[in-house]
């Protein structure tokens, strides 16, 4: 069946500007519901379901290619769902006065955390001022003096009594470096000298000694009572101090306690704080660092009284009474939406920082820092899949928090039991959060396969597409989307022709005339560059030629290698024939990708056949340059040849296929039809016209199947023909199923319109071989015989010759060549 070449309107689906009911994008109504207007109903519904589902495990994995607006749409859907909720609680850490290594958590209604922090700091400062004033006041001084006078009075009374008794006995009380002593007095009332004492009568001297021993014993008893009296004085002073402290603190603390009486944990914390202040009153009053140990037991460097209000609460003696507000939701409207750009383990679950003191690293509860899970608690957390999976410990930490519903702050070394040093163990905080992970589809399926816990924690997949159907309704929404981009980026307005060119290029990006590209980043970048060229050309609006200039400029910046390959083809270094006919040689087409730039590269594919055992040797595979899909395509050729020619006789041939002048890897099956044409030409010894290039895969029944990159492949061969000279007979054979994908460059479309270049849609191998050789393919009769002058007939006749010769060799018969050699 003859193949009709495609017309110009079949290789490029132009935008009908009459359907655009505006002059510039200034006339367009903006899109307010962006997430509903981008051809992503499946993804949007998944996001809505996942955010609305409150049961555990219904977290969301957003999968799709970058640039499709995944972050924006996820944030918009979340904001719409979560702004209806009330802001979650604030979270604080406070000192555990029973065990400083285990700080306690407190949670307060949103906005009250900062108030409580300030109220408590003010209360502590007021308490210091009030207590200092109380202890410096006259009442306290009088009572303290009275207590001090009491011990002096008791001591004075006791010593006076013993001194009076001594006087009655003619003795006096002496205070010596060795303690108290008694000595007799002479008749003048002076202390008797030792000589005088020795001259006394024996009896009187013994009476003195006896009295002195008795009084000495009594004085010793008095001395022994002095520590007890001093202890009693201290106890009375402590009682007085506690009385004054209790009286001063109670009023202040009760005021704060009344304000937060219904918040769990705060009254008990205030009571514990009051007790600790009373137990450590000197340090509290003076701020003396030596009176109070530093964070986690470290001894501070200074011992001076704080000099200002700013340093009061920062001294080690006072830090224990502060409040560490780790999560402050006072400014939130609705539930929080947190995007963590750097999801390390510490940035997710929080950390405990350290500070240097006396050459050592120390810490306390004030150095606890919240992570993204703390900030997102009660709302949603958005993170990038690749980042969270590659940061050490981050993925395990996130899973553990979601499984336990608690955020436990610990270091990586603790988590992996690599550290035995005493560290802070903050009380875990209850977790209620919706986690949205955004990543490529490959990551989603890999993690789903290799992590058994993944499916339990991320039960919702929001799958983002990169394309939507190009119809009237979608095109209208797409145009409004372009208007949104103009407004958001503050670009010059685009006129109707520019918008039409953007729509055409959008289909070109997708490689499909019936689809539109919804990778917003690609369109956004193109519009930014078109705006640049419009401003360079001093246009008031962006026009179609500005858009085309942006397209051409981007290609020019990326196509150095393409131009180099084209140059080498034109110079004859790379051999591509576009005239004449060759047996077993066809122009194939491949696509090369350099980042986001793709271009077609013509290649010469050749085949050789000879007697053998029915093997088709893929030289690329044998040289380890061919990929598995390409090897599969070659094996399909063997199936086709066997089914067509080997039903009544064995295929007694071997064949070799190769991409000539190819020095890199070959992958894909898009050249399998090309290779089959080369094989048929070599077997039938029928030359193929070199003005054609071919692309398309083939199945075992000879049906030509669709391939990718069809536009780039056609343009790659067109560039070769244009530089060598268009003759009007050159063209490309493509699968008929690829016609809907055609969005060719304008210069190619114009050449097709002038019939200088042609594109032929092929459905079967027989259609293609007829066009390539100019001979009929041939239809088999009832005896499975083909016409002699057909390609199939010539191929079958050659294969029979191979089979006969193989049969003769098998029987040991000599070939004519061997007999001639022997006779000579």
């Amino acid at each position: 069946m003859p193949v009709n070449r495609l017309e110009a309107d079949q290789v490029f689906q132009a935008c009908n500007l009459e359907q655009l009911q505006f002059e510039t994008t200034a006339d367009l109504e903006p899109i307010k519901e962006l997430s509903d207007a981008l051809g992503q109903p499946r993804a949007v519904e998944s996001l809505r379901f996942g955010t609305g589902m409150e049961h555990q495990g219904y977290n969301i994995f957003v999968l799709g290619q970058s640039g499709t607006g995944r972050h924006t749409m996820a944030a918009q859907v979340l904001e719409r769902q979560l702004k209806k909720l009330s802001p979650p609680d604030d979270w604080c850490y406070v000192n555990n006065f029973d065990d400083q290594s285990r700080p306690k958590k407190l949670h307060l209604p949103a906005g009250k955390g900062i108030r409580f922090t300030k109220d408590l700091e003010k209360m502590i400062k007021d308490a210091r001022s009030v207590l200092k004033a109380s202890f410096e006041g006259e009442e306290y001084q009088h009572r303290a003096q009275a207590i001090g006078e009491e011990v002096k009075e008791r001591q004075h009374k006791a010593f006076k009594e013993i001194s009076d008794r001594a006087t009655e006995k003619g003795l006096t009380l002496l205070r010596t470096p060795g303690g108290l002593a008694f000595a007799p007095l002479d008749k003048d009332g002076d202390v008797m000298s030792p000589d005088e004492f020795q001259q006394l009568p024996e009896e009187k001297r013994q009476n003195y000694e006896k009295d002195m021993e008795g009084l000495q014993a009594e004085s010793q008893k008095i001395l022994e009572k002095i520590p007890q009296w001093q202890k009693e004085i201290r106890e009375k002073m402590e009682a007085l101090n506690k009385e004054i402290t209790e009286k001063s603190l109670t009023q202040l603390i009760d005021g704060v306690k009344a304000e937060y009486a219904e918040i769990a944990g705060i009254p008990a914390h205030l009571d514990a704080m009051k007790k600790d202040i009373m137990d450590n009153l000197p340090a509290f009053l003076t701020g003396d660092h030596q009176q109070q140990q530093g964070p986690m037991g470290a001894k501070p460097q200074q011992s001076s009284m704080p000099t200002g209000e700013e340093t009061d609460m920062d001294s080690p003696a006072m830090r224990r009474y502060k409040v560490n507000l780790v999560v402050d939701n006072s400014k939130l409207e609705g539930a929080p939406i947190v995007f963590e750009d750097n999801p390390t383990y510490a940035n997710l679950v929080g950390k405990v920082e350290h500070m240097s003191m006396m050459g050592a690293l120390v810490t306390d509860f004030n150095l606890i820092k919240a992570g993204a899970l703390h900030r997102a608690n009660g709302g949603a957390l958005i993170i990038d899949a690749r980042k969270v999976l590659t940061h050490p410990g981050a993925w395990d930490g996130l899973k553990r928090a979601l499984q336990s519903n608690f955020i436990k702050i610990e270091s990586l070394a603790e988590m992996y039991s690599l550290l035995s040093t005493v560290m802070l163990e903050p009380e875990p905080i209850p977790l209620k959060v919706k986690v949205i992970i955004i990543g490529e589809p490959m990551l989603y399926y890999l993690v789903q396969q290799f992590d058994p816990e993944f499916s339990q924690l991320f039960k919702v997949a929001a799958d983002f597409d990169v394309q939507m159907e190009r119809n009237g309704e979608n095109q209208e929404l797409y145009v409004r989307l372009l208007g949104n981009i103009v407004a958001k980026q503050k670009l010059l307005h685009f006129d109707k022709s520019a918008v039409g060119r953007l729509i055409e290029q959008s289909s070109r990006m997708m490689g499909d005339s019936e689809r539109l590209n919804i990778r917003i980043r690609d369109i956004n970048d193109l519009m930014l560059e078109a705006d640049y060229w419009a401003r360079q050309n001093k246009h008031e609006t962006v026009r179609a030629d500005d858009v085309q200039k942006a397209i051409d400029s981007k290609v020019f910046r990326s196509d150095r290698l393409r131009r180099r390959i084209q140059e080498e083809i034109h110079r004859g270094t790379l051999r591509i024939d576009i005239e004449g006919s060759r047996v077993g040689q066809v122009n194939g087409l491949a696509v090369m990708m350099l980042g986001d730039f793709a271009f077609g590269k013509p290649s010469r594919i050749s085949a050789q056949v000879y007697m053998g055992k029915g093997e088709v040797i893929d030289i690329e595979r044998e040289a380890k340059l061919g990929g598995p899909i390409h090897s599969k395509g070659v094996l399909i050729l063997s199936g086709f040849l066997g089914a067509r020619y080997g039903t009544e006789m064995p295929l007694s041939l071997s064949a070799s296929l190769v991409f000539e002048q190819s020095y890199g890897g070959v992958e894909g099956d898009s050249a399998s039809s090309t290779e089959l044409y080369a094989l048929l030409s070599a077997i039938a010894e029928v030359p193929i016209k070199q003005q054609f290039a071919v692309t398309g895969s083939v199945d075992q029944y000879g049906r030509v199947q669709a391939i990718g990159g069809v536009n780039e492949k056609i343009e790659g061969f067109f560039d070769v023909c244009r530089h060598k000279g268009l003759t009007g007979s050159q063209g490309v054979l493509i699968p008929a199923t690829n016609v809907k994908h055609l969005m060719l460059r304008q210069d190619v479309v114009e050449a097709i319109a002038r019939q200088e270049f042609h594109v032929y849609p092929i459905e079967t191998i027989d259609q293609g071989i007829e066009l390539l050789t100019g001979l009929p393919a041939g239809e088999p009769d009832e005896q499975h015989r083909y016409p002699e002058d057909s390609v199939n007939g010539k191929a079958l006749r050659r294969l029979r010759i191979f089979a006969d010769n193989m049969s003769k060799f098998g029987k040991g018969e000599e070939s004519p060549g061997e007999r001639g050699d022997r006779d000579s």
Side-chain angles (χ1 to χ4, degrees):
M1 187 172 86
V3 179
N4 296 322
R5 60 175 176 259
L6 298 177
E7 300 297 330
D9 60 354
Q10 294 177 282
V11 299
F12 184 83
Q13 184 65 41
C15 179
N16 186 353
L17 298 183
E18 295 180 359
Q19 295 179 352
L20 305 181
Q21 305 298 318
F22 63 92
E23 293 303 319
T24 71
T25 51
D27 305 328
L28 296 173
E29 179 184 354
I31 296 176
K32 296 180 180 179
E33 299 294 331
L34 182 61
S35 59
D36 295 331
L38 293 176
Q40 305 285 7
R42 181 181 294 102
V44 171
E45 178 57 31
S46 299
L47 286 168
R48 286 175 176 163
F49 170 75
T51 53
M53 192 69 168
E54 296 185 357
H55 293 283
Q56 186 174 7
Y58 283 87
N59 298 295
I60 307 168
F61 195 109
V62 177
L63 59 148
Q65 295 184 19
S66 63
T68 54
R70 301 168 300 172
H71 288 84
T72 302
M73 291 190 193
Q76 286 185 348
V77 173
L78 288 170
E79 184 178 359
R80 200 173 299 129
Q81 294 282 97
L82 298 181
K83 71 179 181 181
K84 308 170 187 175
L85 305 178
S86 300
D89 289 346
D90 296 337
W91 287 94
C92 309
Y93 276 108
V94 293
N95 187 31
N96 183 345
F97 295 103
D98 295 326
D99 184 354
Q100 290 189 58
S101 67
R102 298 177 182 272
K104 291 185 176 181
K105 68 178 185 294
L106 294 176
H107 64 100
L108 302 89
K112 283 199 171 184
I114 187 68
R115 284 178 50 196
F116 177 64
T117 302
K118 293 179 179 179
D119 288 348
L120 203 61
E121 184 171 338
K122 182 178 182 300
M123 187 207 78
I124 293 297
K125 291 180 179 180
D126 290 346
R128 290 192 68 190
S129 299
V130 169
L131 286 173
K132 285 182 179 180
S134 298
F135 287 119
E136 293 172 358
E138 290 185 2
E139 179 185 356
Y140 175 80
Q141 296 297 329
H142 288 317
R143 294 180 64 180
Q145 185 176 0
I147 294 173
E149 292 294 334
E150 180 182 344
V151 69
K152 291 180 181 179
E153 181 65 25
R154 292 178 70 177
Q155 291 180 12
H156 177 74
K157 182 179 179 182
F159 285 117
K160 187 176 184 305
E161 288 179 358
I162 199 169
S163 178
D164 291 346
R165 289 178 60 189
T167 302
E168 291 174 359
K169 296 179 181 292
L171 299 172
T172 185
L173 178 64
L174 299 176
R175 296 181 184 271
T176 69
L180 297 177
F182 293 89
L185 298 173
D186 58 17
K187 57 184 179 180
D188 295 328
D190 295 327
V191 177
M192 189 179 297
S193 67
D195 292 339
E196 291 177 335
F197 183 75
Q198 291 298 327
Q199 293 175 4
L200 292 175
E202 179 69 19
E203 183 179 355
K204 191 173 183 178
R205 191 172 63 246
Q206 290 179 354
N207 288 335
Y208 272 132
E209 289 177 348
K210 183 178 179 181
D211 290 340
M212 285 190 292
E213 289 178 1
L215 290 173
Q216 187 71 38
E218 290 182 19
S219 66
Q220 185 63 36
K221 291 179 180 178
I222 292 173
L223 291 175
E224 290 175 353
K225 289 182 179 179
I226 289 177
Q228 180 63 32
W229 294 342
Q230 292 176 338
K231 178 183 177 184
E232 291 174 2
I233 295 302
R234 286 197 303 271
E235 290 176 351
K236 288 182 179 181
M237 287 299 300
E238 289 176 0
L240 175 60
N241 291 341
K242 286 187 177 180
E243 179 186 342
I244 298 297
T245 305
E246 176 83 21
K247 183 178 178 181
S248 302
L249 287 180
T250 299
Q251 185 176 1
L252 291 170
I253 289 180
D254 285 352
V256 178
K257 189 185 293 186
E259 179 73 18
Y260 303 95
E262 297 184 358
I263 299 178
I266 289 184
H269 175 68
L270 293 173
D271 290 339
M273 179 187 296
K274 177 181 175 182
K275 179 179 181 301
D276 188 80
I277 292 173
M278 296 174 68
D279 292 341
N280 299 278
L281 190 58
F284 182 77
L285 288 175
T286 65
D288 191 339
H289 293 207
Q290 291 183 344
Q291 296 282 350
Q292 180 76 31
Q293 287 190 333
M296 290 292 289
K299 293 197 174 180
Q301 304 174 48
Q302 302 178 6
S303 60
S304 61
M305 179 80 75
T307 58
E309 291 295 325
E310 291 182 359
T311 58
D312 277 355
M313 296 304 295
D314 291 327
S315 67
M318 304 305 296
R319 289 174 62 88
R320 61 196 287 114
Y321 305 117
K322 294 177 69 174
V323 176
N324 182 7
L325 180 60
V326 293
V327 178
D328 178 14
N329 291 322
S330 58
K331 297 180 181 179
L332 278 183
E333 294 181 4
I337 301 173
V338 176
F339 173 68
E340 179 53 58
D341 182 58
N342 185 28
T344 63
Y345 175 79
N347 286 350
L348 284 177
V349 303
K351 58 185 175 182
V352 179
E353 294 182 339
H354 293 73
M355 61 182 179
S356 178
M357 186 174 290
M358 296 292 289
L361 291 177
V362 296
T363 188
D364 65 12
F365 74 95
N366 291 287
L367 297 176
I368 298 173
K369 304 299 178 184
L373 286 172
H374 293 91
R375 298 192 301 274
N377 202 2
L381 173 64
I382 304 175
I383 51 180
D384 182 83
R386 186 176 296 276
K387 293 179 181 178
V388 76
L389 289 169
T390 53
H391 284 303
W395 178 243
D396 288 337
L398 176 63
K399 288 194 301 179
R400 187 168 62 253
L402 294 177
Q403 288 167 337
S404 64
N405 292 323
F406 278 94
I407 312 171
K408 183 179 180 181
I409 299 177
E410 59 181 349
S411 67
L412 274 175
E414 290 179 284
M415 187 175 73
Y416 292 118
S417 300
L418 300 177
L419 190 67
S420 59
T421 306
V422 176
M423 301 289 289
L424 284 187
E425 296 182 23
E427 197 173 357
I429 290 179
L431 176 66
K432 183 181 180 182
V433 69
K434 189 69 66 175
V435 177
I436 295 88
I437 295 182
I438 298 177
E440 299 88 351
M442 177 191 70
L443 286 178
Y444 173 77
Y445 294 114
L446 283 174
V447 178
Q448 187 181 51
Q449 180 177 359
F450 292 108
D451 190 340
E453 298 173 334
F454 174 76
S455 296
Q456 301 172 11
L457 297 174
F458 292 87
K459 297 182 180 181
V460 181
D463 195 352
F464 275 70
D465 204 347
V466 295
Q467 62 181 12
M468 67 179 181
E469 187 177 353
R470 182 179 171 182
N471 54 35
E473 180 182 356
N474 285 342
Q475 183 169 289
E476 180 181 352
L477 291 172
Y478 201 78
V479 168
R480 291 169 60 195
L481 167 64
L482 301 181
N484 276 30
I485 296 175
V486 169
K488 181 180 179 180
Q489 300 289 354
K490 296 181 173 54
L491 308 178
L492 294 175
H493 283 289
F494 283 58
D495 67 14
K496 183 186 298 187
S497 66
V499 171
R501 189 68 192 92
L502 286 173
I503 291 173
E504 293 166 354
Q505 183 62 17
S506 176
S507 292
R508 162 75 181 203
M509 290 175 178
M510 293 311 304
D512 194 330
S513 63
E514 299 176 358
R515 295 290 183 269
L516 290 172
N517 179 19
I518 52 176
R519 289 185 63 181
I520 307 302
R521 185 175 62 192
D522 295 343
I523 299 299
N524 183 78
D525 292 346
L526 179 57
M527 294 179 71
L528 289 173
E529 295 180 26
D531 173 81
Y532 168 82
W533 289 113
R535 294 177 189 273
Q536 291 293 108
N537 295 326
K538 303 192 182 315
H539 295 163
E540 294 183 358
T541 59
V542 181
R543 306 188 310 209
D545 57 337
D546 298 318
V547 177
Q548 187 61 49
K549 176 64 175 177
I551 296 169
D552 296 341
S553 296
K554 186 173 183 179
V555 171
F556 178 75
R557 294 194 300 268
S558 305
D559 74 341
R560 182 188 63 83
L561 184 58
R562 184 191 71 166
R563 289 180 178 272
R564 178 64 59 83
I565 291 174
Q566 289 287 339
E567 288 173 3
E568 296 306 317
I569 292 174
H570 305 153
R571 296 171 65 190
T573 307
L574 297 177
R575 288 191 57 186
I576 299 293
D577 295 329
I578 62 170
E579 294 180 336
S581 299
R582 302 285 187 277
V583 173
Q585 178 179 310
V586 186
N587 291 321
L589 298 171
V591 171
M592 295 188 69
M593 291 289 298
L594 298 176
D596 60 351
F597 178 63
F599 62 91
K601 176 182 178 296
S603 298
R604 186 162 48 95
I605 298 175
S606 63
Q608 290 282 15
V609 298
Y610 41 89
M611 283 196 304
K613 299 180 180 179
E615 296 176 336
V616 177
I617 298 174
D618 178 10
I619 294 179
E620 305 294 338
R621 181 182 63 184
E622 297 298 322
K624 295 182 170 48
L625 292 176
I629 298 177
H630 175 261
S631 299
K632 173 188 174 183
V634 173
L635 294 174
I636 288 174
L637 305 186
S638 300
F640 172 83
L641 294 175
R644 174 159 292 192
Y645 304 119
T647 56
E648 297 180 357
M649 63 177 181
L651 287 179
S652 302
L653 90 158
S654 289
S656 61
L657 290 166
V658 69
F659 280 71
E660 303 288 358
Q661 292 186 292
S662 171
Y663 308 104
V666 176
E667 180 60 311
D669 64 348
S670 62
S672 58
S673 66
T674 314
E675 292 168 326
L676 183 52
Y677 292 136
L679 273 176
L680 292 175
S681 170
I683 294 171
E685 296 182 309
V686 175
I688 287 178
K689 300 174 183 178
Q690 299 300 294
Q691 71 253 29
F692 294 114
V694 180
T695 185
S697 70
V698 67
D699 64 14
Q700 293 190 101
Y701 299 96
R703 294 175 297 214
V704 180
Q705 303 170 135
I707 44 82
V710 63
N711 292 293
E712 291 80 6
K713 291 176 178 179
I714 294 173
E715 292 162 0
F717 188 67
F718 172 81
D719 289 338
V720 174
C721 297
R722 181 182 58 184
H723 283 86
K724 290 191 174 184
L726 292 171
T727 62
S729 62
Q730 297 140 340
V732 177
L733 282 63
I734 66 168
T737 48
N738 276 123
V739 172
K740 58 181 175 290
H741 300 137
L742 294 178
M743 288 293 292
L744 295 174
R745 277 192 337 235
Q746 196 59 37
D747 56 343
V748 184
V749 176
E750 292 170 358
I752 291 173
R754 296 191 300 266
Q755 295 190 5
E756 296 175 348
F757 192 77
H758 310 286
V759 177
Y760 299 91
I762 303 300
E763 294 183 355
T764 65
I765 288 296
D766 287 340
Q767 286 183 339
I769 200 68
E770 288 182 357
L771 187 61
L772 291 171
T773 62
L775 296 177
E779 294 289 334
D781 57 18
E782 295 179 356
Q783 286 76 35
H784 200 72
R785 291 179 299 187
Y786 291 91
E788 292 291 330
D789 59 347
S790 68
V791 175
N792 286 320
K794 292 177 179 293
L796 188 59
R797 182 172 66 252
R798 183 109 185 272
L799 289 172
R800 283 200 179 107
I801 294 172
F802 283 165
D804 291 342
N805 289 339
M806 285 291 290
S807 177
K808 292 177 182 179
F809 276 110
K811 294 178 181 178
E813 297 180 7
E814 295 179 344
S815 68
E818 288 178 325
R819 286 197 299 271
D821 292 341
R822 189 186 60 199
D823 293 341
S824 64

